[in-house]
């Protein structure tokens, strides 16, 4: 029998469902943890997640479904976390199994609020996981297009190229192309920042700005991202690569983007609380805007777009007035 690495997926949302779908193409079995026991039973009975990407049909013989995170961790060599960053700490508090000998990959696009660290740094600092055992999975890739089996691209980042290759191999398929990189910090910050810019794009649309302004907003966004990431982690990287610019564009423009949808509602005049209640999925950019604003007290990068989103979401400023001022800062 051929030996294969054992994978566990942590999370029950759309991105976790998409990752489970990709892994099931290449592996005879995976472990899949989610809190919702009703969803687990539904998948066992009807072969699809009732709440997210319900069109994806699973061969349940390949799934070790569990509502016990320790069971999933004990099973796996490679653990892929795909839950909202705001809920990561509360899930990890349930752990009694050690993560020390595990390879941890984050598919989370945000900062852990309790430590104000990106997810990879959080595992390194809080759980003493060696950096060579930590990786990141980024796009440009929407879970909904994975469900539709539309051609998509993933970037797999890890300091250990061999581990990146293992994850890339087992996520690859007829409609999934993968590449690897060693820029763990840059790709993870880019994945977090692009959600804030997508909220800005949604706000602009909701306020009635057209495609011309959207193009200026996105081109300024990638330059702003470059400046911020360079302040945080200086290394040679091409910000125009798919993991940075590509992920920004798909999140800023796509109809599948929950962050753009959230921003659009704010631009149309909905309150933050109402917009969040209306959405069935978490808009990571909401949390990222606050975390990035706090981080930038240290780094002092020039970030007018992030500042504008923060002022609207957290200081209650009028979106129309804030964007009017922002238009004079962009070029």
């Amino acid at each position: 029998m051929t030996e294969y690495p054992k994978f566990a997926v942590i999370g029950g949302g759309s991105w976790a469902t998409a990752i489970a779908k990709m892994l099931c193409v290449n592996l005879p079995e995976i472990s899949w943890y989610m809190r919702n026991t009703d969803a687990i039973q539904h998948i066992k009975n009807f072969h699809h997640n009732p709440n997210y990407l319900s069109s994806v049909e699973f061969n349940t013989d390949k799934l070790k479904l569990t509502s016990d995170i320790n069971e999933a961790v004990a099973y796996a060599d490679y653990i892929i976390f795909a839950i909202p960053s705001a809920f990561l700490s509360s899930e990890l508090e349930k752990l009694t199994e050690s993560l020390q000998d595990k390879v941890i990959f984050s598919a989370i696009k945000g900062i852990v609020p309790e430590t104000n660290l990106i997810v990879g740094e959080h595992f390194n600092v809080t759980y003493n996981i060696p950096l060579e055992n930590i990786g990141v999975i980024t796009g440009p890739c929407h879970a909904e297009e994975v469900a539709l089996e539309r051609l998509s691209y993933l970037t797999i980042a890890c300091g250990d190229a061999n581990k990146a290759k293992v994850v890339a191999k087992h996520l690859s398929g007829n409609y999934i192309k993968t590449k690897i990189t060693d820029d763990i910090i840059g790709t993870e910050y880019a994945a977090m920042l692009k959600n804030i810019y997508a909220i800005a794009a949604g706000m602009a649309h909701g306020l009635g700005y057209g495609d011309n302004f959207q193009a200026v907003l996105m081109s300024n966004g990638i330059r702003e991202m470059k400046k911020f990431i360079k302040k945080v982690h200086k290394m040679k990287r091409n910000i125009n690569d798919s993991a940075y610019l590509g992920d920004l564009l798909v999140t800023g423009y796509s109809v599948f983007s929950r962050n753009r949808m959230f921003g659009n509602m704010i631009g149309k005049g909905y309150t933050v609380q109402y917009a969040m209640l209306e959405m069935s999925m978490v808009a990571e950019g909401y949390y990222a805007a606050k975390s990035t604003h706090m981080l930038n007290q240290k780094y002092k990068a020039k970030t007018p777009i992030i500042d504008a989103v923060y002022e609207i979401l957290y200081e209650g400023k009028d979106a129309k007035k804030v964007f009017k001022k922002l238009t004079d800062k962009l070029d």
Side-chain angles (χ1 to χ4, degrees), residues 8 10 69-76 79 81 95 97-99 102:
I10 308 296
I69 192 171
N70 289 290
E71 187 179 326
V73 168
Y75 167 88
I79 306 168
F81 284 85
L95 277 179
E97 286 285 334
S98 173
L99 293 171
K102 309 295 182 179

Side-chain angles (χ1 to χ4, degrees), residues 6 8 10 68-79 81 91-104 123 126-130 133:
K6 292 183 177 180
I10 308 296
D68 181 353
I69 192 171
N70 289 290
E71 187 179 326
V73 168
Y75 167 88
D77 306 308
Y78 286 76
I79 306 168
F81 284 85
E91 288 300 319
L92 292 174
E93 282 173 5
K94 301 172 185 176
L95 277 179
T96 53
E97 286 285 334
S98 173
L99 293 171
Q100 282 305 304
D101 298 323
K102 309 295 182 179
V103 180
I104 308 293
F123 277 109
T126 309
Y127 291 89
N128 203 28
I129 308 297
N133 282 353

Side-chain angles (χ1 to χ4, degrees), residues 3-8 27 29-31 74-79:
E3 283 292 320
Y4 62 89
K6 292 183 177 180
F7 277 80
L27 289 164
E29 180 183 79
I30 66 166
S31 180
Y75 167 88
D77 306 308
Y78 286 76
I79 306 168

Side-chain angles (χ1 to χ4, degrees), residues 38-109:
D38 291 338
I40 288 174
Q41 196 57 50
H42 189 100
I43 295 170
K44 287 178 178 178
N45 292 340
F46 302 106
H47 308 282
H48 65 89
N49 188 336
N51 303 314
Y52 302 94
L53 305 189
S54 56
S55 65
V56 174
E57 189 165 330
F58 287 97
N59 175 356
T60 51
D61 291 340
K62 287 191 167 192
L63 301 178
K64 289 178 69 70
L65 292 155
T66 179
S67 59
D68 181 353
I69 192 171
N70 289 290
E71 187 179 326
V73 168
Y75 167 88
D77 306 308
Y78 286 76
I79 306 168
I80 299 176
F81 284 85
I83 53 179
S85 58
F87 309 134
L88 180 64
S89 286
S90 60
E91 288 300 319
L92 292 174
E93 282 173 5
K94 301 172 185 176
L95 277 179
T96 53
E97 286 285 334
S98 173
L99 293 171
Q100 282 305 304
D101 298 323
K102 309 295 182 179
V103 180
I104 308 293
F105 269 76
S106 168
I108 301 170
K109 315 294 196 297

